[in-house]
Amino acid sequence: MTVIHENMEDTGAKMKARDVSVYYGDKKAIDDVSIDISPDYVTAFIGPSGCGKSTFLRCFNRMNDTIPSAKVTGLIELDGEDIHSNAMDVVQLRARVGMVFQKPNPFPKSIYDNIAYGPKIHGLAEKKPDLDAIVEKSLTRAGLWDEVKDRLEDSGTALSGGQQQRLCIARAIAVDPEVILMDEPASALDPIATAKIEELIDELSGRYAIVIVTHSMQQAARVSQRTAFFHLGQIVEYGRTSDIFTNPIEDRTKDYITGRYG
Amino acid sequence: MSPITLILIAIGLGLAGWLAGRAKAWSFQKGNPDARPVARPTYHAWYVAIWIVVPVLAFVTLWSFIAPQLITQSVLASPGAQNLPAFGFERDSWLAEARAVALGNAPGVFNAGAEPLIEPFREAIGRYNLIGVVLTIMIAFAGGTFAFLRIRPDFTARTRVERTVMIVLLLASLVAILTTFGIFASLVFETYRFFSLVSPVDFFFGTFWGPDPMSSADNPDGSRYGAIPLFWGTLFIGAIIAMIVAIPLGLMSAIYLTQYADPRLRQWVKPALEILAGVPTVVYGYFAALTVAPAIRDAAVAIGISSASTESALAAGVVMGVMIIPFVSSMADDSIAAVPSAMRDGSYAMGATKSETIKKVLFPAALPGIVAGIMLAVSRAIGETMIVVMAASTAANLSANPLDRMTTVTVQIVKLLTGEQSTDHPTYLSAFALGFALFLVTLVLNVIALRVVKRFREAYE
């Protein structure tokens, strides 16, 4: 089924999925998918619209739980722990596996409160100076500090689209996650804002395991080191990004990346 | 012949005109299949029908005012009218009796003097009925012919028909607006008359309310018209006690229904809650007077308050609070549901629990809508009458004890207007001043609520 390139030689897996299927009601959206997510690299999920890549991404922090009709089967592990086991609290899981959405969704609060939201609910900062430090660090890592440091009390929704998305990334970083899931984070942005997001992903990789869903193949080629090609709810091919784009093994992968469909 | 018959004639003729207009428009298309007429045949048909029905309706309206007068005039000119009493009620009643007999609505006259008037009435009614029908038909034909002759392939019937429809819609909306202005104007006028008798200072700042309908109308005692106890009662029952009940219960039910309830349960509970809003307030009044008020009295007596009465502000306020739960919960429900699901997902993805998400993200984002719902609920509550009439008495007390009897502005208005006062007496006029004050307060609350809702809508678009 899935063609996995032999030469990846990854140092262990941060997250592992084994025989994962997702159903929406009776419809099977993901069909027996298995993959290892490397801790050191950016992994891109590419594929045509409706192939299930976003649905699969949402399995890693159990965001599919919020959709009443969705049902997930199979095994998903974070550092060897089953994320569906009773020992794993979904709140803890989501603190360790953060997420950035397709459309920037800052809360209608101040910039400061947007970042402080996660640390507050998880009790990461005892005192105000600690919180201030987290806010500054997160915004700095997201490359937004210099732009907003003088107006932290302004509403997060007043920022431009690209700034809002970087705010959402900073918000995800603020709770110090181990994995960051990004669901087409630049698809609602203009090319300049997109370039900034891609630059940011580059800087964050290595510190966090990053999984990014994108339907832009150029973006996958630019930001990722590992690529999985999805089609009809399955992973067709998974390997180094350079190999997938230059030496695809499967015909379907080749057809997609050469633009024959999708 | 009644206006109904004339209207039926007009509709029949309108239908005929409709068919004729359509036939003519069809014949254009058949005769010249390549041409593209400006409007479809039905529009030509409606154009003809409108030109028949609208002038006829205008005529019928006018005629129904003019015809009775013409009939009466011709009867008065008849020889039988010589013996009529000169003026006043008697003369009118003779005429009315004779007319009733002539129309077949009464078996015979009571006053023998009306007897000779019956025949002239019959004649006059028959004559003017005939004139009415003939005029109706003539007007219908004139309008119909005019419209029919204008039908041409290049005639823009559609735009004309649509303009007519628009005018009808405009008139419909003007009725409501003009009524509001009319109410406002009558309130202002009567309020002005009241304030020319009683000083506004006495009215707005006096603390004793006890208008005496038996007192002299020309020199009223201003100190009896202090409306503060009424304003306080209204505020205490409608805006304080009722809100203490309605806001928490309404918000909690909205949160449960939007965030926790199973969709199938929500499907049942939400309409059930909204039915509460449709229960007539007088039914709530029974409930308040017969069930809640005695229970509150008994509870008060049980804890040692022997003076508790069966009529209390608390009973009225609590029941009123229950009544407006649906207003609060429905608006809160809508505005919580309107918060984009991206906000909720964003919060969950940060590892927030459901209750943290509701408290820190959904609730603040929905707050403007919730506030607007509360404002509307308050304005509904302070305008409420029946529950207070039945449960809280008409005694105007200025007290902070919820177990006291209290009354509200609306209840006093009812009491003042249903008594037997002369319409010039300040007791009667004070009802308009109270109504005016209430009108202003609810208007301001509604305006604030609408503005808040509007801002809220803009925030997410």
Side-chain angles (χ1 to χ4, degrees), chain B residues 419-445:
Chain B
E420 293 197 6
Q421 287 95 11
S422 120
T423 54
D424 296 328
H425 197 281
T427 309
Y428 178 86
L429 292 175
S430 68
F432 292 94
L434 289 174
F436 186 67
L438 196 63
F439 182 89
L440 282 186
V441 170
T442 50
L443 187 74
V444 167
L445 284 175

Side-chain angles (χ1 to χ4, degrees), chain B residues 157-171:
Chain B
R158 183 177 58 80
T159 46
R160 283 153 205 267
V161 170
E162 281 172 354
R163 202 178 303 150
T164 313
V165 170
M166 193 201 74
I167 290 169
V168 170
L169 296 177
L170 176 72
L171 289 177

